[in-house]
Amino acid sequence: AIGGTRFNTELINIPHSVIVLNQEFMLDVGANSVLDAAQYVSGVSSTAGSNREVFNVRGYQIGVTTDGFSDSSPTAQGLSTPFELVDRVEIIKGPAAVLYGSTSPGGNVNRLTKKPLFRREMTLQASVGEGGFTQAMFDVNQAMPAGGGQVAMRVIGSYEHFDDVYVNFSDS
């Protein structure tokens, strides 16, 4: 896990609580966002609505980092991360979050993005759901010989649409 020490370290060698949600787990539970995947971790919750990623760990609102660095993009203000870009999520519980400059004693959520791999791989996914939900995603990974070495390339794209359906429940 990178999140526990800022280095690629085995989880058994990290002296604090780090939970890693990998790609396989996120596909198994059908997660459509980092928040969907994080709901399976004890002590992690959110007070924000849909399409917002504001995490609470151990009762404290916490910072979110991307690849171990502070995120100053709109995702840092709680807007949801393009889930297609996320390879895995590391949730660090407790004061170890000071490694990331976080002053929250609750912890930290670190999103690790997908990197180019030195193999040929292609993925195409499509989903349809209730309320006019449609989604399509592609992920193309290609290794290319270049001079004396190799170069890897990865292209990820997605489309998502959801009809805003509002149901007003009233007492009858």
Side-chain angles (χ1 to χ4, degrees):
I2 294 172
T5 60
R6 285 197 172 236
F7 299 102
N8 195 5
T9 307
E10 293 181 22
L11 285 175
I12 198 164
N13 295 326
I14 299 175
H16 43 267
S17 179
V18 178
I19 293 91
V20 177
L21 306 176
N22 62 18
Q23 193 67 226
E24 183 180 347
F25 173 80
M26 293 186 283
L27 288 172
D28 286 348
V29 299
N32 287 319
S33 70
V34 173
L35 197 55
D36 285 349
Q39 74 178 349
Y40 292 92
V41 178
S42 65
V44 177
S45 64
S46 175
T47 54
S50 61
N51 295 328
R52 306 287 290 174
E53 287 181 357
V54 178
F55 293 93
N56 297 314
V57 175
R58 296 183 173 179
Y60 296 95
Q61 186 170 335
I62 59 162
V64 178
T65 56
T66 302
D67 293 323
F69 296 101
S70 228
D71 195 348
S72 61
S73 70
T75 58
Q77 282 75 47
L79 298 178
S80 68
T81 306
F83 193 58
E84 295 76 17
L85 302 178
V86 176
D87 184 45
R88 68 181 189 267
V89 178
E90 297 175 348
I91 299 173
I92 304 158
K93 292 183 177 181
V98 297
L99 289 170
Y100 296 99
S102 173
T103 57
S104 171
N108 187 49
V109 173
N110 185 29
R111 300 172 296 224
L112 290 128
T113 56
K114 293 180 179 177
K115 307 287 187 263
L117 305 171
F118 289 97
R119 66 176 183 259
R120 185 177 185 163
E121 186 176 279
M122 294 179 219
T123 304
L124 178 62
Q125 293 178 334
S127 302
V128 177
E130 295 179 359
F133 174 77
T134 55
Q135 179 185 34
M137 186 274 295
F138 69 89
D139 183 351
V140 178
N141 194 75
Q142 181 70 45
M144 301 173 288
Q150 279 195 333
V151 175
M153 170 189 80
R154 188 169 206 158
V155 178
I156 302 171
S158 71
Y159 169 80
E160 185 175 298
H161 177 76
F162 186 78
D163 293 334
D164 290 330
V165 176
Y166 177 75
V167 178
N168 186 7
F169 293 99
S170 62
D171 295 334
S172 53

